[in-house]
Amino acid sequence: MTSEVIIDVREKEISIALLEDKELVEYQNEPREASFSVGNIYVAKVKKIMPGLNASFVDVGYEKDAFLHYLDLGLQYSSYEKYLKQVESDRRTLYPFNKASRLPDLPKEGSVSSYLTVGHNALVQIVKEPISTKGPRLTCELSFAGRYLVLMPFGEKVNVSSKIKSGEERARLKQLIMSFKPKNYGVIVRTVAEGLRLEELREEFELLRKRWEDTITRAQKATTYPHLVYEETSRAVALLRDLFNPTYENIYINDKDVYEEVRQYVQQIAPDRIGIVKLYTGKVPIFDNFNVTKQLKSGFGKTVNYKHGAYLIIEHTEAMHVVDVNSGNRARGVNGQEANALDVNLGAADELARQLRLRDMGGIIIVDFIDMNLAEDRQMLYERMCKNMQKDRARHNILPLSKFGLMQITRQRVRPAMNVRVEETCPTCFGKGTIKPSILFTDLLEQKISYLVNKVGEKRFTLYVHPFVAAYINKGFISLRRRWQIRYGFGVKVIASQELAFLEYRFYNKDGEFIDMKQDSDE
């Protein structure tokens, strides 16, 4: 299996697509100015204590206060609290972390009001982003994730990923970490660390320790609260940190700055693979060029088609996600209804596993498969689903089919489910139900071009239109595009974009900046 990462960087957002054998399996999109990422650490004030919930609400700058439960204070909360007070008491000299005292662990059965008060300062880390009407979820058990290790200040244990099966290798890795780990640090060894040498592990440990030291230094200098003291790496680098593996063939990026950032990161973790990071400079939108746009539009939405006419219907609610499997217009197989149902269900299991990763669906997922009478067929479906979900990084649990033919899946939920709007609003009537004659669309475009060239003074720009419209503009020996270039100059370029609706258009100047040419008269 080969993997490719496509990163589309725009003025206001960044989108990241992971392709496995050219098929889209993961997609992330967020505004570039987004500041509430999982992993960010704040020095924040407690706003409210809720004894009934055994929790508190903390102000981290979001419109809804963040939620911090007693169990999320962590076993080492007392140590963190004392060290933070020592750091804040002297703004000039940082109290050495190796001299910080490690206090007794918090009891499992305790009360939040015994440790937190309103107005109290605390070091908190976001573990779940705001979802729907809920604010972020917090923890006081801080962690710094690297490619091979996870560093936990005030921890003492060294734990090795359970996915490393070899007892000898687990013992070797634990012994290596213990040989250089200072006091007051706990470490989790990740699966990809299997087979690594001492120097590689030590190098990443020192990098993560530097992040913790920089974090506490910012906390020492904080004077206003909430104060961001550690910001998780960019989405592009964070995704690569968790996903990077030797099977990657290419990482394509259409932005010079992000390209340099990713290239620098790959240089650190895999110097011999630096050549796979490539800057995309083509005129066709990067997602169109790698067939991502089409897969996005076919992979999202309420109805998802898969093989031989079968399809899934996916509904999202506040409490759960519900999936219905339908055979559609598929013809009955020669082996009868039972074999046909099994074939449709196995295909649904393949597609559903991809959809869970693609949409980042979390919480409770209920799947209504087509009824099957044979116990061995139901077991085969359950095993197929478990196998498909092995590629999923999120923690999950799958139950066998119930007597009603329902499969229950729980999946780790740290962000809202990804929802890409695939329905298109008419760009001419904006949903009013009436449009101007479409045959006049090219006349409208020429008016815009004339205005840009003659009134605004833009001599070089690019016009993006729907592929069907682009084909019409480019057809013929002396095409409409060529006539525009003869009339208005050869700085006029027309590019097809699969992202646009049929009568939608976008202008960009020579520097790639969007030019808003919409007017009320266009409607």
Side-chain angles (χ1 to χ4, degrees):
M1 180 186 70
T2 59
S3 300
E4 289 182 311
V5 175
I6 316 298
I7 303 177
D8 182 15
V9 182
R10 303 191 185 186
E11 183 179 358
K12 295 184 178 180
E13 63 183 13
I14 181 169
S15 301
I16 303 171
L18 173 64
L19 305 180
E20 292 180 354
D21 294 331
K22 304 298 181 181
E23 184 177 50
L24 181 65
V25 293
E26 289 198 28
Y27 174 73
Q28 294 192 25
N29 171 276
E30 69 176 31
R32 296 188 70 175
E33 68 273 11
S35 59
F36 289 93
S37 295
V38 170
N40 284 3
I41 299 176
Y42 295 82
V43 178
K45 285 190 178 294
V46 177
K47 291 289 291 293
K48 188 184 298 184
I49 304 294
M50 304 293 290
L53 297 175
N54 201 16
S56 64
F57 286 97
V58 181
D59 177 18
V60 292
Y62 189 64
E63 58 182 328
K64 294 278 187 180
D65 288 337
F67 184 79
L68 176 63
H69 193 271
Y70 171 78
L71 295 177
D72 292 321
L73 291 177
L75 297 177
Q76 292 84 39
Y77 175 76
S78 298
S79 304
Y80 275 112
E81 182 186 30
K82 181 178 180 179
Y83 184 56
L84 182 61
K85 287 181 178 178
Q86 290 171 328
V87 166
E88 291 179 331
S89 64
D90 186 351
R91 302 287 183 180
R92 295 183 178 181
T93 306
L94 183 65
Y95 190 84
F97 185 64
N98 58 0
K99 294 183 179 179
S101 54
R102 192 173 185 275
L103 301 180
D105 294 349
L106 259 64
K108 292 184 179 180
E109 301 293 333
S111 172
V112 69
S113 56
S114 301
Y115 297 92
L116 295 180
T117 57
V118 174
H120 184 91
N121 276 359
L123 267 175
V124 294
Q125 185 170 32
I126 294 181
V127 292
K128 186 181 291 188
E129 288 186 1
I131 296 175
S132 186
T133 59
K134 301 174 182 177
R137 181 78 180 253
L138 303 177
T139 183
C140 290
E141 201 162 14
L142 308 185
S143 62
F144 297 82
R147 169 97 176 116
Y148 308 116
L149 307 174
V150 178
L151 180 71
M152 305 186 73
F154 283 116
E156 283 295 331
K157 295 182 179 179
V158 175
N159 296 313
V160 181
S161 169
S162 59
K163 293 183 180 179
I164 298 178
K165 302 301 181 184
S166 169
E168 293 181 1
E169 177 64 8
R170 292 169 61 85
R172 184 188 75 89
L173 289 169
K174 189 170 184 177
Q175 186 176 7
L176 288 179
I177 298 296
M178 292 297 295
S179 68
F180 62 77
K181 183 185 75 67
K183 175 189 174 185
N184 285 341
Y185 287 104
V187 175
I188 298 174
V189 182
R190 306 183 74 172
T191 309
V192 290
E194 188 171 6
L196 289 184
R197 293 174 288 117
L198 172 66
E199 196 55 40
E200 294 171 302
L201 296 171
R202 190 205 301 269
E203 184 178 342
E204 178 157 286
F205 178 87
E206 292 301 328
L207 180 66
L208 296 177
R209 184 165 74 161
K210 177 73 165 50
R211 289 184 189 174
W212 160 244
E213 291 173 351
D214 291 343
T215 297
I216 205 64
T217 300
R218 294 190 191 99
Q220 177 193 28
K221 297 176 180 178
T223 55
T224 58
Y225 305 99
H227 190 87
L228 178 65
V229 293
Y230 172 73
E231 188 168 12
E232 184 57 283
T233 53
S234 69
R235 295 305 309 142
V237 171
L239 183 74
L240 289 176
R241 182 193 66 200
D242 295 335
L243 292 182
F244 188 85
N245 63 68
T247 66
Y248 277 6
E249 286 193 340
N250 299 293
I251 301 172
Y252 290 102
I253 308 159
N254 65 348
D255 181 85
K256 181 72 173 177
D257 294 336
V258 177
Y259 163 77
E260 293 293 348
E261 186 180 355
V262 172
R263 184 178 172 85
Q264 182 180 3
Y265 179 73
V266 174
Q267 177 75 44
Q268 291 178 354
I269 64 171
D272 57 321
R273 303 288 290 160
I274 190 68
I276 67 175
V277 184
K278 299 175 181 177
L279 181 64
Y280 177 79
T281 56
K283 293 296 182 183
V284 176
I286 187 170
F287 273 8
D288 290 8
N289 188 69
F290 294 99
N291 198 34
V292 175
T293 305
K294 191 171 183 179
Q295 292 192 62
L296 281 174
K297 292 195 173 186
S298 63
F300 285 85
K302 180 178 177 180
T303 302
V304 179
N305 297 298
Y306 57 105
K307 63 178 185 177
H308 307 308
Y311 60 94
L312 304 177
I313 295 180
I314 303 176
E315 296 274 10
H316 305 282
T317 72
E318 181 74 17
M320 65 180 67
H321 309 280
V322 183
V323 182
D324 185 33
V325 179
N326 292 273
S327 59
N329 57 7
R330 176 190 174 96
R332 179 176 297 182
V334 295
N335 296 325
Q337 176 63 30
E338 181 73 13
N340 184 66
L342 176 62
D343 190 41
V344 171
N345 285 339
L346 292 177
D350 296 340
E351 180 61 28
L352 179 59
R354 184 176 82 100
Q355 286 291 325
L356 294 180
R357 293 175 64 190
L358 183 59
R359 302 183 186 220
D360 202 13
M361 294 163 59
I364 301 173
I365 301 105
I366 305 296
V367 190
D368 182 12
F369 286 102
I370 296 175
D371 292 339
M372 296 182 296
N373 297 320
L374 299 179
E376 55 265 34
D377 288 348
R378 293 194 292 271
Q379 180 63 23
M380 186 186 301
L381 175 61
Y382 170 69
E383 293 174 357
R384 179 74 158 260
M385 195 71 212
C386 292
K387 181 181 178 181
N388 291 337
M389 292 290 286
Q390 287 177 356
K391 299 177 185 177
D392 198 332
R393 293 176 295 117
R395 291 196 301 270
H396 58 270
N397 189 28
I398 307 171
L399 297 182
L401 269 71
S402 70
K403 64 180 180 180
F404 298 118
L406 302 177
M407 179 179 287
Q408 301 172 63
I409 303 172
T410 60
R411 187 174 182 272
Q412 182 184 20
R413 182 182 186 185
V414 295
R415 295 185 182 89
M418 182 64 65
N419 186 25
V420 176
R421 186 172 177 268
V422 296
E423 296 82 8
E424 296 176 351
T425 300
C426 173
T428 306
C429 76
F430 296 96
K432 295 177 182 177
T434 59
I435 65 172
K436 289 183 176 182
S438 56
I439 195 66
L440 302 179
F441 182 57
T442 53
D443 294 343
L444 173 67
L445 293 179
E446 184 167 357
Q447 292 173 14
K448 303 292 184 184
I449 292 172
S450 175
Y451 180 80
L452 270 179
V453 174
N454 299 322
K455 300 293 185 182
V456 181
E458 288 282 356
K459 303 297 183 183
R460 294 175 58 193
F461 55 86
T462 303
L463 168 63
Y464 287 89
V465 292
H466 188 277
F468 290 176
V469 177
Y472 175 77
I473 292 174
N474 290 314
K475 76 170 185 174
F477 176 67
I478 303 180
S479 65
L480 184 58
R481 176 181 61 85
R482 181 53 58 89
R483 277 183 275 167
W484 287 348
Q485 289 179 332
I486 294 172
R487 189 173 302 167
Y488 301 106
F490 283 87
V492 179
K493 295 182 180 180
V494 180
I495 304 291
S497 174
Q498 298 174 16
E499 182 184 7
L500 299 182
F502 184 51
L503 296 181
E504 193 174 5
Y505 61 92
R506 290 180 189 166
F507 285 93
Y508 291 86
N509 65 17
K510 62 181 180 180
D511 298 320
E513 298 171 341
F514 174 67
I515 306 173
D516 188 0
M517 296 295 293
K518 289 286 193 301
Q519 298 176 2
D520 293 340
S521 59
D522 293 350
E523 299 183 19

